[in-house]
Amino acid sequence: MRRRNLVGGAAIGAALATSAMAQQAAYPSRTIRMVIPFAPGGGVDAVGRVVAQRLSERLGVQVVVENRAGGSGTIGGQSVGSSPPDGYSLLFSASTHTMARQVLRRPPYDPIADFTPIALLGGAPLILVLSPNRPQTTIAEIVADARARPDNWTFGASALGSPGHLATILFLKLAGLDLVVAPYRGTAPALTDVAAGNVQMMIDPVLALLPLVQSGGVKGIAVTTPRRSSLAPSIPTSAEEGMPGLVFSSWYGLWGPKGLPEPVVSLLNGHLGEIMREPATVERFSALGLEPIYSPQEEFARFIDADVARNAELLRSANFQPE
C-alpha cells in the first residue's frame, strides 16, 4: 500500500509538471494585461502603448493597456506584483518603479525583490517647462526670482521618484534653492496645473511636455541632455542655460511578477529585441523624442542596480524624507 501511494504521488507530480510545462509552451494563449501605473496622456503611457501594440501584433494575442494611476506608481505596480507569475500581467513603467523604497515610507512592495525585470526599452531627454503667466524665459531669471521670492514658486512632479522629480531635486541643489515640490498622479494632471499657473514649473520627458510647449500652453526653458533634442532644436540645453550639471534622462522598461518563468521571459525578450530594432519602432520612438534602447533581463537588472544607487545618493544629498 505504501509503495502504491508513493508511485501514485509520483505519477500525480509528473502529471502536474507536464501540465505546467504545457501551459508555458502554449504561452500566450489569451489576452495579456499591460499595466501602466500613471494616468493616460503622460510619457510612460505614450511609450507603453507603442510597445503593447507591437507585442500584440507579434504574439498574436491582444495586449491590453490598463492605466492604474496613484501612489507614485505603486497602485499599478502592486496590481502586477500580486498577480500570478504566468506572463499575463505585465508592468510597463519608468525608473519611478525602482525608487519606491527610497521615496515612500511604507511602500507596498520591494520593487527589486518582488518583480522580475524583463527588458530595458528606451530612454528620453527631459525638459524644464514654465507656466505661461510667468515673465521669466531663462534658468538664470527663474533662479534669481525664486531666491528673492521662494514662496511664489512651486515645482510640480509627475510622481515621487520619477525622473522628473529626481531632476527637480538636482535642479534645486545646483541652484541653491529650497522650494516646495508637489507630487501628482501622473504627468498630465501636473502639466495641467503648470499651464494654469497653479504650480509654476516642472521637469518631465520631452515627449509628454513638448506638445503643450509647441502650442504655447507652457514655456520650454531647457532640455536636460548634453545635446539639443531633434524634436525641439530651438530649446537650449541646461548647459547652454548656465547649469551644466543638470543632466538627466528618463528610461522605460517591462517587468513581471516575481517568479516569472524563464521560458516566458525568453519569449518576451525575443520579440522585444526584434521590435526595438524594427525601422517602424525606431521611427515611432524618434517621433516621441526617444532613443530605442534594448537590454535583456540580466543587463537590465545590472542597469537598475546602478541607477538606484545613483538616485538614492541624490536623494540623501538633498535630505529627502520619504512620504
Side-chain angles (χ1 to χ4, degrees):
M1 179 68 71
R2 176 180 173 81
R3 184 172 181 276
R4 280 202 302 271
N5 286 343
L6 290 173
V7 172
I12 292 171
L16 290 172
T18 301
S19 174
M21 290 174 63
Q23 289 176 5
Q24 286 183 20
Y27 177 84
S29 60
R30 54 186 171 86
T31 298
I32 295 171
R33 180 180 67 127
M34 181 184 286
V35 173
I36 295 177
F38 300 103
V44 181
D45 181 68
V47 184
R49 288 180 183 274
V50 173
V51 175
Q53 178 188 341
R54 294 299 296 119
L55 270 180
S56 292
E57 294 167 359
R58 294 189 64 90
L59 293 174
V61 299
Q62 197 170 12
V63 179
V64 177
V65 170
E66 180 180 316
N67 294 92
R68 301 198 67 171
S72 294
T74 59
I75 291 177
Q78 189 171 25
S79 172
V80 173
S82 60
S83 298
D86 54 13
Y88 291 99
S89 289
L90 303 174
L91 176 70
F92 187 90
S93 191
S95 58
T96 310
H97 171 69
T98 65
M99 296 301 295
R101 292 182 64 187
Q102 281 72 36
V103 300
L104 299 175
R105 196 177 302 278
R106 285 182 289 274
Y109 50 71
D110 185 319
I112 308 301
D114 295 339
F115 291 82
T116 300
I118 298 173
L120 174 67
L121 297 173
L126 309 180
I127 183 172
L128 169 66
V129 298
L130 182 69
S131 176
N133 62 8
R134 290 289 167 133
Q136 293 78 20
T137 59
T138 67
I139 286 180
E141 290 173 355
I142 291 170
V143 171
D145 196 82
R147 284 176 178 165
R149 303 184 301 164
D151 291 344
N152 290 345
W153 290 89
T154 299
F155 255 108
S158 60
L160 293 175
S162 68
H165 175 225
L166 292 160
T168 296
I169 291 175
L170 181 58
F171 177 97
L172 295 175
K173 179 181 178 181
L174 294 170
L177 294 171
D178 183 15
L179 304 180
V180 173
V181 179
Y184 283 77
R185 293 165 62 98
T187 299
L191 185 58
T192 298
D193 267 5
V194 175
N198 298 324
V199 296
Q200 286 64 55
M201 52 187 170
M202 71 178 292
I203 301 175
D204 226 44
V206 166
L207 73 160
L209 306 191
L210 190 56
L212 202 58
V213 172
Q214 293 171 329
S215 69
V218 294
K219 296 180 181 180
I221 303 299
V223 292
T224 65
T225 44
R227 295 187 301 274
R228 294 193 181 197
S229 170
S230 60
L231 291 182
S234 64
I235 298 177
T237 67
S238 51
E240 291 174 310
E241 281 288 292
M243 192 175 279
L246 185 62
V247 178
F248 226 98
S249 61
S250 177
W251 57 263
Y252 307 91
L254 190 67
W255 288 261
K258 178 182 179 180
L260 196 63
E262 192 278 333
V264 172
V265 174
S266 294
L267 177 68
L268 291 171
N269 262 291
H271 286 296
L272 290 167
E274 293 184 14
I275 286 170
M276 299 306 290
R277 289 189 290 270
E278 291 172 349
T281 304
V282 173
E283 184 178 348
R284 290 284 299 279
F285 270 51
S286 297
L288 294 171
L290 287 169
E291 181 183 357
I293 302 167
Y294 169 70
S295 294
Q297 184 181 39
E298 291 186 2
E299 291 179 22
F300 186 28
R302 289 193 294 269
F303 174 86
I304 288 171
D305 289 342
D307 192 65
V308 169
R310 183 199 66 163
N311 292 337
E313 177 56 34
L314 177 60
L315 290 170
R316 282 193 294 269
S317 70
N319 295 316
F320 175 80
Q321 298 299 314
E323 292 196 354

